Amino acid sequence: MARTKAALAPLSLVLLAGSVVLLFFVVLAGTTRVTPFRNTYFLSADTSGITGARAISQWTFFRICGAHNTDCSHSWPDPPIGWAWSRNPTGSNLPERLIGSYGGGTTSYSYFYMWRFGWVFYLLALFFTIVSFFTGFLACFGRLGSALAGMMSSVALFFLIIAASLMTATFVRMREQFQSVGRSATLGVWAFGFTWGAVAALLLSTALFWLGIRSGDSPATGGSRWGRKRSVRSRRSYDMGTHRVKEDYA
């Protein structure tokens, strides 16, 4: 049992490290041609015939790219989804509900803000997950460390669940808009898998940190009720013995 308790903190750190790596796979997608970054994107859609757009557009965290994450735009914080095409685009079979006056006349109100908040929550989740990882080393030294690590990882989990939910809502709805006008569109399996995999790893890690707090007491430290009872009986026996000795001398 003691070995099981001692393994909680290292196991939590391994899960946290895995969550950090998965999030970096998503955030750095499109910045290099190395696998898995070249295969990681949120949505791939047919944008041929739309002015200023590539034949295939793929949305990543910092860039909008062509097929296989090639021919990417410059990296930009929170790029509006409408930057895949030009301002006030024209063409046949336009996804009208994605186009609006936001993002320089390229993006509709709802999609502009839905992904903007999702993008910000992604960064917050990544930041707090990294902080949780380093805080997690304190869990190896006792219950207080487990409590601090548990609180930090809980904050990270909160932001990551919101980010993953907004990501899912944004790009699933975008896929439906493209398909409704007869254009093919597919979700990025790698980006979605990495994101929700990070959520699962962070959830398990958080649970283990909180479990480490409850597992802090042991019989050796006097946390056991049986240990306290034995101690009381010892003192009573000693007191009774002393009393008998005094009576003999009297």
Side-chain angles (χ1 to χ4, degrees):
M1 184 66 178
R3 291 181 180 179
T4 303
K5 295 175 182 178
L8 291 179
L11 182 57
S12 299
L13 288 172
V14 170
L15 290 169
L16 267 177
S19 183
V20 171
V21 171
L22 292 175
L23 288 176
F24 270 116
F25 283 160
V26 176
V27 170
L28 298 179
T31 59
T32 177
R33 297 279 297 147
V34 178
T35 303
F37 302 106
R38 66 189 299 269
N39 299 319
T40 304
Y41 53 84
F42 297 114
L43 180 73
S44 178
D46 172 21
T47 52
S48 59
I50 302 177
T51 53
R54 303 165 180 80
I56 297 292
S57 294
Q58 295 186 169
W59 284 263
T60 67
F61 196 77
F62 282 110
R63 297 179 172 188
I64 298 174
C65 302
H68 307 295
N69 282 354
T70 58
D71 187 25
C72 295
S73 63
H74 294 294
S75 295
W76 194 266
D78 185 25
I81 61 170
W83 281 9
W85 43 77
S86 62
R87 181 174 183 176
N88 300 320
T90 59
S92 60
N93 301 330
L94 291 176
E96 296 287 352
R97 293 189 177 182
L98 302 181
I99 302 169
S101 58
Y102 290 81
T106 61
T107 311
S108 66
Y109 170 86
S110 58
Y111 286 93
F112 179 82
Y113 281 107
M114 200 158 43
W115 180 230
R116 167 157 288 191
F117 281 107
W119 195 92
V120 171
F121 276 110
Y122 248 106
L123 288 187
L124 289 172
L126 178 60
F127 171 77
F128 281 104
T129 303
I130 293 174
V131 173
S132 300
F133 175 75
F134 290 106
T135 308
F137 285 98
L138 297 176
C140 299
F141 301 102
R143 297 173 63 186
L144 180 59
S146 294
L148 292 173
M151 287 193 305
M152 292 305 302
S153 60
S154 295
V155 173
L157 180 63
F158 170 76
F159 287 125
L160 184 55
I161 288 176
I162 294 178
S165 299
L166 287 172
M167 174 209 69
T168 302
T170 300
F171 292 102
V172 167
R173 289 180 62 186
M174 282 181 64
R175 180 191 62 178
E176 294 173 351
Q177 292 302 318
F178 278 109
Q179 292 177 343
S180 67
V181 295
R183 293 180 179 272
S184 62
T186 56
L187 297 176
V189 176
W190 292 57
F192 275 73
F194 289 152
T195 299
W196 286 106
V199 172
L202 187 54
L203 176 62
L204 290 174
S205 176
T206 303
L208 290 177
F209 279 134
W210 289 117
L211 186 60
I213 300 174
R214 299 186 55 131
S215 302
D217 288 335
S218 65
T221 59
S224 170
R225 295 180 180 178
W226 293 104
R228 287 195 295 269
K229 288 182 178 179
R230 286 196 296 269
S231 177
V232 171
R233 286 198 296 268
S234 299
R235 289 195 299 270
R236 288 178 179 175
S237 177
Y238 175 78
D239 293 341
M240 292 175 64
T242 304
H243 182 63
R244 286 197 298 268
V245 170
K246 290 182 178 179
E247 288 180 348
D248 290 343
Y249 276 99

